[in-house]
Amino acid sequence: SVVASQCPRRRYLFLFCDLLCGAKPRTRGTYSLKLRIPLRSAWMLPQVVTPKGDDCFGIGTPFCKFSAFATPDHVAWVDAIEKGIAAARASGLMHGHINIMPMLTDTPAEGVEIEVETLEVAMADTAQTVVAGMMTRLNLPIDARSYLIWEISRAGLQPVQSWEPPLVIVQYGVSVGNIDDACHFIMRQTSAPDLTVEMLPLSLRRIIKDRSPRMPHKQMPSASAPGGKPKSRPTSSREVSMVRDTASPLCTPEPAMPGSGGALFGQPLAVLVVNGELPGPVKDMLARLNSEGPSAIGLFRKSANARVIKQMRERLDNGLPVDLSSVPVLAVGAILKEFLRSLPVSVFPVDLYYDFITLNDIEDPVTRLEATRQKLLLLPEAHLILLEAILPVLVDIADNHDENHRNAANLAICVGQSLLWPPSAEEVLKNDVPPVIEYLINNTRSLFGDPDGLPESSFESSPLTPA
């Protein structure tokens, strides 16, 4: 049964490797397609209770819809769909960045603009995980339930529920032109009044000013929050509306999601690194960051122009030359992070995650230095070559922190999860990655030797020799 209003509709469910379809039986063994949910853009709701109190499983999507299904083999379906979602996401970009504006007062003072924070997240990270990461970034008391994030799009403002994955919402919204890449979400206290357009800073009001009309939504009679308890938070249109028939946006084809492989992005490092040499565009990006990064304020943290980044990525993926001297250095830093996040396997492979995280527990400096050297030798050759090229750039930026306000700890927070991907959302909350990257930045010279400097235009040879 597809639960809709007070009258459940009977449907046949078909689960493919990357798609969940619902169909109505017709004559002679044929079916009429009624709903289509791409698994890559979907997530499971923790628990759904129908108006009659029956258990069912719910699926959320960025299409402003919420589907609830009641089946005899409830547990088997949930398990199969969760595995399908994980497999579908694994075939594309697993990590990305979202831009959040922390608006912790009801209305910002006239003429005061609030700085947007860029956060590294995984596809599986929930809004609660993202809020916890922001609270760590802003040094706020750790209680993620005290804050929530609001999606800001041309369709209006709506709160993101704690179990919804912000990166999935952003990727879909950007692909259909509904979300402006300058700022994706606003973070507010749950006790604050509902967010309205008039409360937004002037720079964000333009995003909603010419918004397209939204489809009307029917209020779900008594869909409950996880555990069947009434909601105390503002209600998102993704959870108040049940599946409809063929007029539903769920029946529209899914736009192409970012993260598919090209000439540069999405390719394994083992393919890109030839005879010990990094690809020319990567060497040029690092050279530009090495020359101008130490004097750039907000590098790797401030948002860059989304259109410039998109154009750069398209040209690089098509093998076309890019004149980096004409591109703002903040955009060069952003496109480097895009490249790192697009790798099928991160610079520090996930199977070595705990090998490096456990280094944080070693207190003796000499023992930790030697243990770190040994762990670095476990990296694949191509990964080590890229790491050897990136670390000197970060060292130079950190050495000039009095001017650029980016010390090793700041850089580790902004770049860390582009290099070392936590295997789960629970590991993100532990915040173990930044200390590992901070240690590598602070000890690059001890680990690899003291580089004499990087060439201005390209890396003709690696400046580092493993100790």
Side-chain angles (χ1 to χ4, degrees):
S1 297
V2 179
V3 183
S5 184
Q6 300 290 340
C7 180
R9 294 173 179 158
R10 296 189 60 79
R11 296 287 184 263
Y12 282 78
L13 291 182
F14 297 84
L15 180 61
F16 300 93
C17 61
D18 60 352
L19 194 67
L20 177 67
C21 292
K24 181 179 180 180
R26 300 180 66 182
T27 58
R28 299 180 181 178
T30 60
Y31 298 88
S32 174
L33 184 65
K34 293 299 181 181
L35 67 99
R36 175 184 183 277
I37 302 177
L39 295 182
R40 178 171 167 77
S41 300
W43 58 84
M44 298 297 294
L45 274 65
Q47 182 179 349
V48 179
V49 178
T50 68
K52 296 181 179 180
D54 300 325
D55 286 336
C56 57
F57 66 89
I59 299 178
T61 71
F63 319 137
C64 298
K65 288 289 176 181
F66 154 36
S67 312
F69 304 95
T71 63
D73 44 357
H74 171 96
V75 176
W77 270 97
V78 170
D79 181 63
I81 293 174
E82 286 179 341
K83 290 179 179 178
I85 290 174
R89 290 177 180 174
S91 64
L93 184 66
M94 293 294 293
H95 291 71
H97 73 279
I98 58 175
N99 299 324
I100 303 178
M101 176 179 288
M103 204 171 94
L104 305 182
T105 58
D106 288 351
T107 306
E110 192 69 28
V112 175
E113 292 296 333
I114 306 172
E115 195 169 272
V116 174
E117 301 284 343
T118 299
L119 203 64
E120 301 285 339
V121 296
M123 289 283 287
D125 287 345
T126 63
Q128 186 171 0
T129 302
V130 169
V131 168
M134 280 293 294
M135 295 177 73
T136 301
R137 171 83 63 89
L138 301 173
N139 294 321
L140 296 172
I142 299 297
D143 184 2
R145 294 171 298 179
S146 300
Y147 295 86
L148 77 161
I149 55 176
W150 288 70
E151 177 188 348
I152 176 171
S153 70
R154 292 182 176 85
L157 296 166
Q158 59 179 331
V160 181
Q161 302 303 309
S162 61
W163 57 83
E164 296 180 342
L167 184 56
V168 175
I169 296 171
V170 168
Q171 287 188 352
Y172 177 80
V174 171
S175 68
V176 299
N178 191 42
I179 292 180
D180 193 298
D181 221 19
C183 183
H184 305 138
F185 303 100
I186 290 179
M187 177 174 163
R188 283 173 63 78
Q189 290 182 308
T190 54
S191 59
D194 286 0
L195 190 63
T196 63
V197 176
E198 291 72 23
M199 295 180 181
L200 297 178
L202 294 176
S203 60
L204 297 184
R205 295 183 190 178
R206 63 177 178 81
I207 298 176
I208 307 180
K209 184 177 180 181
D210 298 322
R211 65 180 182 270
S212 56
R214 305 181 72 177
M215 290 185 64
H217 295 293
K218 295 180 181 179
Q219 181 74 27
M220 188 171 67
S222 58
S224 302
K229 298 179 181 178
K231 292 177 171 50
S232 58
R233 293 185 172 192
T235 306
S236 164
S237 63
R238 276 187 293 276
E239 60 171 322
V240 300
S241 199
M242 305 306 290
V243 139
R244 296 186 184 135
D245 280 333
T246 52
S248 169
L250 288 174
C251 297
T252 59
E254 182 190 23
M257 302 293 283
S260 55
L264 182 66
F265 292 84
Q267 295 294 336
L269 283 174
V271 173
L272 296 174
V273 178
V274 180
N275 296 325
E277 292 288 327
L278 292 171
V282 176
K283 294 194 290 185
D284 291 340
M285 283 188 273
L286 291 172
R288 174 74 187 285
L289 293 174
N290 185 66
S291 62
E292 297 187 27
S295 60
I297 297 177
L299 185 63
F300 299 124
R301 180 177 61 84
K302 288 187 175 180
S303 300
N305 188 297
R307 184 177 301 173
V308 171
I309 295 174
K310 181 180 179 181
Q311 291 174 349
M312 287 177 61
R313 176 164 181 162
E314 288 177 350
R315 290 187 64 84
L316 292 172
D317 254 348
N318 289 320
L320 301 175
V322 175
D323 181 14
L324 292 180
S325 62
S326 63
V327 178
V329 68
L330 292 184
V332 177
I335 199 67
L336 177 65
K337 288 173 66 176
E338 286 276 336
F339 166 71
L340 295 174
R341 290 191 298 264
S342 75
L343 295 173
V345 179
S346 58
V347 175
F348 295 87
V350 173
D351 58 352
L352 296 177
Y353 177 82
Y354 294 105
D355 290 84
F356 284 92
I357 293 304
T358 53
L359 295 173
N360 291 332
D361 300 328
I362 302 177
E363 296 182 359
D364 180 66
V366 177
T367 304
R368 180 168 185 179
L369 188 66
E370 183 57 32
T372 302
R373 284 199 184 108
Q374 296 303 317
K375 297 300 183 185
L376 289 172
L377 295 177
L378 299 177
L379 295 177
E381 181 182 3
H383 294 235
L384 185 58
I385 290 172
L386 178 57
L387 181 65
E388 288 178 347
I390 290 175
L391 283 176
V393 176
L394 300 179
V395 169
D396 285 347
I397 296 171
D399 286 347
N400 204 37
H401 65 270
D402 289 338
E403 179 179 351
N404 58 42
H405 312 304
R406 312 301 293 152
N407 58 25
N410 301 142
L411 291 171
I413 291 173
C414 294
V415 181
Q417 291 186 13
S418 296
L419 298 169
L420 177 58
W421 300 346
S424 66
E426 291 75 15
E427 294 297 334
V428 175
L429 287 173
K430 294 179 182 178
N431 207 33
D432 288 332
V433 171
V436 174
I437 305 303
E438 180 182 359
Y439 180 85
L440 292 175
I441 296 173
N442 286 330
N443 293 274
T444 291
R445 294 179 175 91
S446 299
L447 290 166
F448 299 104
D450 194 356
D452 296 327
L454 301 174
E456 294 183 358
S457 59
S458 65
F459 291 74
E460 297 180 357
S461 61
S462 174
L464 300 175
T465 304

